[in-house]
Amino acid sequence: MLDIVVPIKQVPDLVEELEIDPSGTALGLERTRFVVNELDDHALEQALLLKEKHQAQVSVIALDVGDVEETLFMALAKGVDQAIKISGDFGPAPDNHTTARVLKDVLGGLSHNLILTGVQAIDDLDGQLGILLSSYLDLPYVGLVSGVQIDEGGSKATVLKELPGGVKAELELPLPAVLGIQAAEQPPRYVPVSRVRQAMRTATIEERSAAAEGNGHIRVRRISKPQVGAGAELLEGSSEDIAEQIVGILADRGILR
Amino acid sequence: MVQTASREARGPLTQAFFDRIAAVAEGEKLKACIQCGICSGSCPLGFAMQYPPRRLIASLRAGVMEQVLQSNTPWLCVACYTCTARCPSAVGITDMLFPAMREALLMQGVGVPGELQTALENTFRHGNPLGEPPSKRADWIQEVDVPVTDLSADPREVDILWLVECYPAYHVRAKETVKALARTLHALGADFGVLGQEERCVGDSQRLVGENGLFEMLVEENGKTLDRFQFRQIIVTDPHAYNALKNEYPKYGVNYPVQHYTQYLASRLEELRPMLGELNHTITFHDPCYLGRRNGEYEAPRQLIQAIPGVTFVEMERNRENGLCCGGGGGGMWLDSFAYEYAKERLSEKRVREAARTGADVMAVCCPNDLLRFEDAVKVVGLEGKLVVKDIIELIDEARKG
Ligand code: SF4
Ligand code: SF4
């Protein structure tokens, strides 16, 4: 039996504008809505595709941050077999070192042949979670994966990676392994609202707790919005005025005649 | 392809479809179809469907539904109501048959067009299909020069609760109609308020697209919100919202008197009329499917247009119950690329050509979908400079100032 574990992470939903905390070293998260990190959603989709092909067992695990329950119920509605929420003293925005340490403890008690996670998350663009997990668990790792095949016996995986310059590589690695997913083989599926609501009524999210020991020793010194630099020109006025100005600029540069 | 009447084993898609049909009261009516073909002949997109409605019902009866569900047909209906309005046996093609097929596809996750998926996910998360921030829903109030009560910030009893709806609240072009309506309501001395950040999509198109769970969620949420405010009646900017509040919400016990804004203004025409100055335009009018064909309101919009001094009013060849759909209903707004792939021409493009043939220089509309689709279509077919698309409320607002 193939056991797939998908660690997923909550990130701020960019539909609303981001605010910076008065400290200037973090995002103001009080009024932020959270959403599953997009590449983790791809990791989940890839897991579901493998489940359909190999009758795999899929577990989704996440630290209790943001609106994690909604995300876990959506995963249950999509057909995962188990959803686990981990609580602990890791604060509202744990870094990848903290997250990996928490996850490795939980993963220790969870059967796994394959760990799929998004190759990076939009809130830190750090891209290290999969790597850290693979080193803690002493498993092989491949990142930026966009296709996964498992052999009949479930002993090895063949993964697809798109390299720069339009070149594709196929790599083979023994299972168990950790993969950082760049894209699932198909876009994440739609889950009808009636399924989500049914999951909220009938399915359960398992709860675990884990201690967060240490972090990555990285201190955020400053978070700020980009400033308008010298040389930038802001076009102002009504839509018509701005359109005129753009046409003028394009004509000046010889792009339009 | 020759088809046999041998019954296929029901696949999961077909099973989900029949489960849905069995669950709705009107499901039985499918049996009443006499295979006359009026529906297929009337359907503006029937030519592009692999299974136009009559053939679809024949296939269903022959027990060969799986291939119908996997054809292009389920996503091509724009819920224009023409077939249903003309069917001699009152078969619920628009409200029941197509949504049931779509629901089966959504439930099984088969072939859901990407654009549509995004619109549904946005509605679920943010309460509007555009994926705009809920906190900015009432930002248009800052852009209008008359006072508008945002009841979410300033709760009080009002005479009229105005549900602005999503495209009008957010879309840069459709917002102009909202500002014009605010000014006109103010000029009439109407006591009105909007729900601001507490407003969520009414959801009629989500219902017709087969996302019944999402529609029911919206009904519950909106029902609770409406319960918390005190008002005498609702007015809406969008005929689809009008349809849902009038015909669908009451099925869930959410029952409030509702008017489309044209109906409300027509009821106050004698006060409005003296305010209107001259506009020298030849105007034709496009009946929105969900005000006209579905709900039988043909007069209110015409009365408003004809009340403007100086206007010459002309009808298009297909008008009232025969009006051609803009192609945006029943989720058509979110299936545009899909429909275009098979039809190669948008219904809105056909329709603006019809409008131009009347000799009118203004095509009047009163549905946000129409405004956006026809304005695009005017550009696509090269009618710019010859035909202008305006919402009736914009014409009223101009006439009032002029
Ligand atoms: S118009 Fe009505 S009765 Fe005639 S074929 Fe269509 S569904 Fe059947
Ligand atoms: S509602 Fe309109 S588009 Fe849909 S099947 Fe009927 S006639 Fe065709």
Side-chain angles (χ1 to χ4, degrees):
Chain A
M1 176 77 141
L2 187 62
D3 285 311
I4 306 176
V5 180
V6 186
I8 58 176
K9 173 177 178 179
Q10 294 280 295
V11 294
D13 190 333
L14 299 181
V15 161
E16 296 285 0
E17 256 167 58
L18 292 178
E19 286 170 24
I20 292 170
D21 183 80
S23 69
T25 61
L27 290 175
L29 297 178
E30 231 144 73
R31 283 186 291 146
T32 306
R33 271 199 75 189
F34 288 81
V35 65
V36 64
N37 174 47
E38 190 184 349
L39 299 188
D40 292 342
D41 208 19
H42 277 264
L44 172 59
E45 180 62 36
Q46 188 62 55
L48 291 167
L49 292 173
L50 291 171
K51 177 180 163 74
E52 283 160 9
K53 245 198 240 163
H54 303 282
Q55 283 83 47
Q57 167 96 11
V58 178
S59 305
V60 171
I61 60 177
L63 271 57
D64 186 6
V65 168
D67 305 311
V68 72
E69 293 208 351
E70 184 181 294
T71 302
L72 291 176
F73 279 125
M74 287 187 90
L76 285 163
K78 285 184 179 181
V80 307
D81 303 281
Q82 188 182 26
I84 301 173
K85 178 177 86 172
I86 310 163
S87 48
D89 52 353
F90 35 69
D95 68 18
N96 277 331
H97 290 269
T98 310
T99 305
R101 286 186 188 127
V102 171
L103 288 177
K104 82 163 189 279
D105 289 344
V106 178
L107 279 163
L110 215 58
S111 154
H112 54 269
N113 319 78
L114 189 59
I115 298 173
L116 301 179
T117 190
V119 72
Q120 65 180 356
I122 58 156
D123 59 346
D124 53 18
L125 298 181
D126 183 41
Q128 295 196 69
L129 183 67
I131 299 167
L132 290 166
L133 280 178
S134 75
S135 63
Y136 281 134
L137 300 168
D138 200 15
L139 298 176
Y141 171 83
V142 179
L144 294 164
V145 166
S146 56
V148 183
Q149 304 235 331
I150 306 291
D151 76 333
E152 280 300 318
S155 62
K156 62 177 199 272
T158 309
V159 304
L160 186 73
K161 204 168 156 152
E162 282 180 38
L163 299 172
V167 182
K168 284 184 180 176
E170 243 181 46
L171 309 170
E172 194 180 286
L173 67 169
L175 297 184
V178 182
L179 300 177
I181 301 292
Q182 170 71 24
E185 285 154 21
Q186 66 177 40
R189 65 195 61 195
Y190 185 69
V191 55
V193 173
S194 56
R195 286 255 162 84
V196 179
R197 299 181 101 195
Q198 193 188 4
M200 285 177 170
R201 279 196 302 271
T202 58
T204 37
I205 292 173
E206 287 174 40
E207 301 198 21
R208 309 269 167 96
S209 57
E213 2 137 1
N215 56 41
H217 305 290
I218 295 160
R219 190 169 65 86
V220 177
R221 291 184 50 187
R222 191 166 74 96
I223 287 192
S224 60
K225 300 211 169 172
Q227 264 128 38
V228 182
E233 189 185 337
L234 286 182
L235 305 181
E236 285 177 31
S238 70
S239 317
E240 280 83 13
D241 291 343
I242 292 175
E244 288 275 317
Q245 293 176 55
I246 293 174
V247 171
I249 292 167
L250 293 177
D252 273 358
R253 307 281 197 279
I255 296 164
L256 271 181
R257 254 169 285 168
Chain B
M1 190 173 62
V2 180
Q3 288 186 2
T4 63
S6 71
R7 286 186 178 266
E8 62 185 1
R10 279 188 185 181
L13 268 180
T14 307
Q15 192 55 50
F17 167 75
F18 279 106
D19 288 350
R20 182 70 200 150
I21 290 285
V24 292
E26 312 88 69
E28 271 293 295
K29 288 224 188 105
L30 275 176
K31 292 192 184 136
C33 167
I34 55 170
Q35 289 288 296
C36 67
I38 290 177
C39 49
S40 300
S42 305
C43 176
L45 283 162
F47 74 93
M49 290 178 182
Q50 282 147 1
Y51 295 84
R54 186 208 58 78
R55 188 166 178 225
L56 186 139
I57 295 172
S59 308
L60 188 160
R61 287 176 168 174
V64 283
M65 202 53 201
E66 202 74 10
Q67 56 208 12
V68 178
L69 289 164
Q70 298 198 25
S71 74
N72 69 3
T73 305
W75 301 116
L76 279 179
C77 168
V78 289
C80 72
Y81 233 79
T82 313
C83 54
T84 306
R86 292 182 185 172
C87 170
S89 305
V91 175
I93 304 168
T94 319
D95 278 317
M96 185 253 306
L97 187 55
F98 273 89
M101 290 196 288
R102 293 164 163 200
E103 185 162 323
L105 292 161
L106 284 167
M107 286 305 235
Q108 301 299 316
V110 177
V112 183
E115 272 173 278
L116 175 67
Q117 177 166 341
T118 307
L120 295 175
E121 286 168 351
N122 282 337
T123 311
F124 176 64
R125 277 193 70 76
H126 310 297
N128 72 81
L130 296 91
E132 291 288 336
S135 67
K136 299 209 159 135
R137 194 165 190 117
D139 277 14
W140 63 269
I141 294 178
Q142 259 74 63
E143 300 168 28
V144 69
D145 46 4
V146 295
V148 176
T149 304
D150 177 351
L151 297 168
S152 69
D154 176 17
R156 65 175 176 89
E157 188 176 339
V158 287
D159 185 41
I160 291 169
L161 181 74
W162 170 19
L163 294 184
V164 177
E165 274 286 269
C166 307
Y167 284 92
Y170 291 113
H171 190 284
V172 64
R173 174 66 183 91
K175 246 199 274 189
E176 294 306 314
T177 67
V178 175
K179 295 185 215 167
L181 183 52
R183 285 191 287 265
T184 305
L185 289 173
H186 182 71
L188 282 168
D191 173 31
F192 69 99
V194 299
L195 289 177
Q197 291 191 29
E198 300 218 29
E199 188 182 315
R200 286 169 79 76
C201 189
V202 172
D204 206 38
S205 294
Q206 287 82 345
R207 170 182 70 89
L208 288 164
V209 104
E211 229 307 11
N212 213 50
L214 178 57
F215 178 66
E216 288 180 353
M217 182 189 96
L218 293 170
V219 174
E220 268 172 45
E221 290 180 356
N222 289 326
K224 278 191 203 139
T225 308
L226 291 171
D227 267 353
R228 296 206 327 271
F229 292 91
Q230 291 191 311
F231 53 88
R232 184 182 56 82
Q233 74 155 104
I234 296 174
I235 66 168
V236 294
T237 335
D238 181 349
H240 301 90
Y242 171 65
N243 180 59
L245 290 163
K246 178 168 172 259
N247 301 315
E248 303 297 331
Y249 274 51
K251 293 180 192 164
Y252 299 87
V254 181
N255 215 334
Y256 292 100
V258 58
Q259 281 187 309
H260 185 248
Y261 87 83
T262 54
Q263 297 173 311
Y264 174 75
L265 293 183
S267 77
R268 301 197 58 181
L269 195 53
E270 289 327 306
E271 293 149 90
L272 190 58
R273 207 186 286 275
M275 300 179 189
L276 302 178
E278 210 166 287
L279 283 189
N280 287 309
H281 287 301
T282 302
I283 301 181
T284 188
F285 171 63
H286 165 82
D287 285 281
C289 308
Y290 277 79
L291 193 60
R293 205 160 25 240
R294 173 68 180 96
N295 288 300
E297 179 60 82
Y298 300 109
E299 299 313 323
R302 287 179 172 76
Q303 282 169 6
L304 292 175
I305 297 168
Q306 287 172 316
I308 304 172
V311 161
T312 309
F313 181 69
V314 287
E315 290 284 7
M316 281 186 265
E317 203 171 306
R318 295 196 251 189
N319 62 60
R320 297 177 186 253
E321 57 273 25
N322 295 326
L324 177 67
C325 174
C326 78
M333 291 297 274
W334 318 312
L335 289 162
D336 204 58
S337 333
F338 185 90
Y340 193 79
E341 189 181 331
Y342 294 98
K344 304 292 179 222
E345 187 186 27
R346 293 182 181 85
L347 295 183
S348 52
E349 292 160 15
K350 273 191 193 150
R351 190 60 165 162
V352 295
R353 287 202 182 93
E354 293 185 5
R357 277 203 294 276
T358 63
D361 60 324
V362 174
M363 180 186 198
V365 298
C366 57
C367 165
N369 294 2
D370 291 339
L371 183 69
L372 306 180
R373 297 185 70 79
F374 291 145
E375 222 170 64
D376 285 351
V378 160
K379 292 172 197 154
V380 172
V381 307
L383 282 168
E384 259 182 310
K386 296 187 190 106
L387 185 71
V388 176
V389 183
K390 287 229 163 113
D391 195 286
I392 291 176
I393 191 59
E394 296 180 285
L395 295 166
I396 295 281
D397 191 44
E398 272 171 46
R400 223 171 31 74
K401 290 176 186 158

